[in-house]
């Protein structure tokens, strides 16, 4: 029987609730599907670790993660610790340390979700946003000088390399090529950012010639926000810089109904290192410990994890269970206008997976 080693990093806030829920669902899925199992290793890094050790994770923390098949991550963010410390000290340390340069965020309106775009049919909002995840605006290049003086200066430099842009463009074109519509939108801001973003556009054009079957267009990021609202059906796969995609993907999640249901994968496409999967909702300290967190974003992230490790049938099975519980308004959590609790939603998904055990063929053990 195949054993997948999964590192679990709940992090902060509601991450400590939704990641255990994700583990519970994955265990239920393995029991129902057969042929594989999970071995979870939990790491208690985050704000509490920082208060005790002065760092968000150990300096050598990447080493025990290196041999894992994948990482399931909760959230990084603590109201008592500056955000740049929590982000750079944990999530970005892992993303950059393992060169997870492709951040992939699927978005669609799940059954039963009351999305804000009332005139939009569910089939019209089915996107995947590819975010460059290793450089750009979040490269960490910059600094401060003369702090506290009238001449104080601070800089953040957007750093783009030809190698970095080429690889994310190829990844995005390949992803678009694999989807039915074979449609890609390259998001830019080259009208104002006349150096790095112009190079971004030039490389997009060069790479596009390798994919003649992919139809693509270019859109300024500000215009793209309006297009997402006014013409959602005109979009399918999008590729954008680290900052631009960070913002656009949150808009996409809100348009689909809630940040609580949105997943993401931080991918090393070359599979040199483990990839990391996480819900995008953040730590949400205001509801921490109340059992109100929506675990659907974590469950959908688990779907992406399963696809990545080579279990597509299990991924499809879990996605069907997710769609079944979102279609039931009684299982909507507060962010979706309902009253269901984290535990109820988790148990419902596990129950559906167990029910399907007798009706679907079990996979043969390896």
């Amino acid at each position: 029987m195949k054993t997948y080693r999964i590192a679990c990093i709940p992090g902060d806030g509601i991450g400590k609730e939704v990641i255990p829920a994700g583990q519970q669902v994955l265990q239920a899925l393995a029991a129902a599907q057969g042929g594989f199992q999970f071995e979870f290793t939990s790491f208690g890094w985050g704000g509490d670790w920082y208060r005790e050790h002065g760092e968000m994770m150990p300096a050598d923390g990447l080493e025990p993660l290196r041999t894992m098949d994948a990482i399931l991550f909760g959230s990084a963010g603590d109201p008592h610790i500056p955000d740049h410390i929590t982000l750079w000290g944990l999530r970005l340390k892992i993303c950059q340390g393992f060169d997870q340069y492709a951040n992939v965020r699927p978005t669609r309106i799940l059954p039963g979700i009351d999305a804000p775009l009332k005139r939009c049919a569910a089939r019209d909002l089915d996107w995947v946003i590819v975010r460059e995840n290793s450089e750009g605006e979040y490269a960490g290049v910059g600094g401060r000088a003369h702090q506290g003086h009238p001449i104080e200066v601070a800089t953040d430099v957007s750093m783009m390399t030809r190698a970095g842009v080429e690889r994310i463009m190829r990844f995005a074109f390949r992803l678009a090529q694999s989807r039915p519509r074979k449609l890609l939108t390259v998001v830019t801001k080259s009208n104002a950012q006349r150096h790095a973003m112009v190079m971004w556009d030039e490389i997009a054009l060069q790479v596009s010639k390798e994919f003649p079957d992919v139809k693509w267009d270019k859109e300024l990021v500000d215009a793209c926000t309006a297009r997402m609202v006014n013409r959602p059906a005109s979009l399918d796969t999008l590729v954008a810089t680290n900052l631009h995609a960070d913002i656009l993907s949150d808009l996409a999640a809100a348009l689909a109904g809630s940040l609580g249901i949105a997943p993401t994968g931080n991918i090393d496409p070359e599979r040199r290192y483990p990839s990391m999967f996480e819900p995008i909702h953040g730590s949400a300290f205001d509801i921490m410990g109340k059992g109100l967190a929506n675990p659907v974003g974590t469950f959908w992230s688990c779907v992406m994890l399963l696809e990545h490790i080579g279990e597509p049938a299990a991924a499809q099975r879990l996605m069907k269970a997710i769609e079944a519980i979102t279609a039931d308004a009684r299982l909507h959590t507060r962010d979706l206008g309902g009253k269901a609790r984290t535990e109820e939603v988790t148990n419902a998904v596990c129950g559906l997976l167990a029910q399907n055990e007798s009706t679907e063929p079990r996979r043969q053990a390896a």
Side-chain angles (χ1 to χ4, degrees):
M1 179 179 289
K2 176 69 174 178
T3 299
Y4 295 108
R5 301 182 64 202
I6 309 298
C8 295
I9 307 174
D12 303 316
I14 62 171
K16 298 177 182 179
E17 300 167 60
V18 296
I19 294 306
Q23 291 178 240
Q24 184 178 338
V25 163
L26 286 174
Q27 291 282 39
L29 177 64
Q33 189 83 3
F36 64 88
Q37 62 185 0
F38 295 103
E39 179 182 298
F40 297 109
T41 303
S42 294
F43 297 87
W45 303 333
D48 292 339
W49 185 275
Y50 179 85
R51 277 181 279 273
E52 184 175 349
H53 301 279
E55 55 187 357
M56 292 292 291
M57 65 180 286
D60 61 351
L62 293 180
E63 291 309 309
L65 301 179
R66 198 176 297 273
T67 59
M68 299 292 175
D69 293 297
I71 303 166
L72 189 59
F73 185 83
S75 62
D78 187 303
H80 306 294
I81 304 172
D83 288 341
H84 67 280
I85 291 177
T86 59
L87 181 64
W88 282 93
L90 185 56
R91 184 183 175 278
L92 289 186
K93 184 172 181 177
I94 296 170
C95 289
Q96 296 194 351
F98 287 150
D99 199 20
Q100 297 166 346
Y101 66 84
N103 179 275
V104 180
R105 299 192 173 189
T107 303
R108 59 186 175 89
I109 301 175
L110 297 178
I113 301 297
D114 184 21
L117 295 182
K118 303 302 181 187
R119 67 181 184 278
C120 171
R123 66 179 180 274
D124 292 339
L125 201 166
D126 185 356
W127 307 328
V128 178
I129 298 177
V130 176
R131 170 184 174 186
E132 200 294 313
N133 207 36
S134 65
E135 51 182 39
E137 303 89 348
Y138 297 169
V141 179
R144 294 177 67 179
H146 311 298
Q147 293 186 43
H149 296 279
I151 58 171
E152 182 173 356
V153 59
T155 61
D156 276 296
V157 179
S158 178
M159 180 70 68
M160 293 191 189
T161 65
R162 173 166 287 275
V165 177
E166 282 185 353
R167 68 183 186 177
I168 199 63
M169 286 295 174
R170 286 196 177 91
F171 180 89
F173 271 94
R174 287 193 193 102
L175 181 58
Q177 189 180 51
S178 72
R179 287 169 60 82
R181 297 175 66 190
K182 299 185 187 303
L183 176 64
L184 177 68
T185 296
V186 176
V187 180
T188 186
K189 192 59 181 169
S190 51
N191 61 338
Q193 295 175 282
R194 57 187 181 145
H195 302 298
M197 293 307 302
V198 169
M199 184 181 78
W200 170 274
D201 292 352
E202 292 172 351
I203 293 174
L205 177 59
Q206 293 164 14
V207 172
S208 72
K209 296 174 182 177
E210 302 172 18
F211 301 88
D213 57 333
V214 175
K215 181 180 179 181
W216 74 286
D217 62 358
K218 185 174 68 173
E219 189 78 84
L220 295 176
V221 63
D222 43 343
C224 193
T225 61
R227 182 172 167 185
M228 290 169 74
V229 174
N230 295 326
R231 296 188 294 125
S234 72
L235 297 166
D236 186 84
T237 307
L238 300 88
V239 61
T241 68
N242 218 328
L243 174 62
H244 293 164
D246 190 4
I247 297 168
L248 291 178
S249 59
D250 276 16
L251 172 60
L255 293 175
S258 170
L259 266 67
I261 62 176
T264 189
N266 303 287
I267 310 296
D268 168 27
E270 283 74 39
R271 298 177 181 267
R272 299 157 297 172
Y273 310 105
S275 294
M276 183 165 69
F277 303 86
E278 58 177 318
I280 74 168
H281 51 55
S283 55
F285 261 71
D286 57 323
I287 61 170
M288 179 181 66
K290 298 179 180 179
L292 301 175
N294 190 341
V296 169
T298 298
F299 299 160
W300 197 348
S301 297
C302 289
V303 171
M304 298 181 72
L305 184 155
L306 289 161
E307 291 170 340
H308 184 75
I309 63 176
E311 297 290 347
Q316 185 179 23
R317 185 173 186 161
L318 178 54
M319 196 69 223
K320 287 181 179 178
I322 292 169
E323 292 173 342
I325 62 103
T326 62
D328 186 346
R330 296 170 300 176
L331 292 170
H332 286 185
T333 46
R334 191 174 72 173
D335 58 304
L336 296 173
K339 298 180 179 179
R341 300 177 64 80
T342 310
E343 185 178 7
E344 291 177 69
V345 178
T346 304
N347 290 341
V349 172
C350 292
L352 285 171
L353 294 172
Q355 288 174 17
N356 290 338
E357 183 177 4
S358 61
T359 60
E360 294 186 12
R362 289 178 65 88
R363 172 179 150 160
Q364 295 297 314

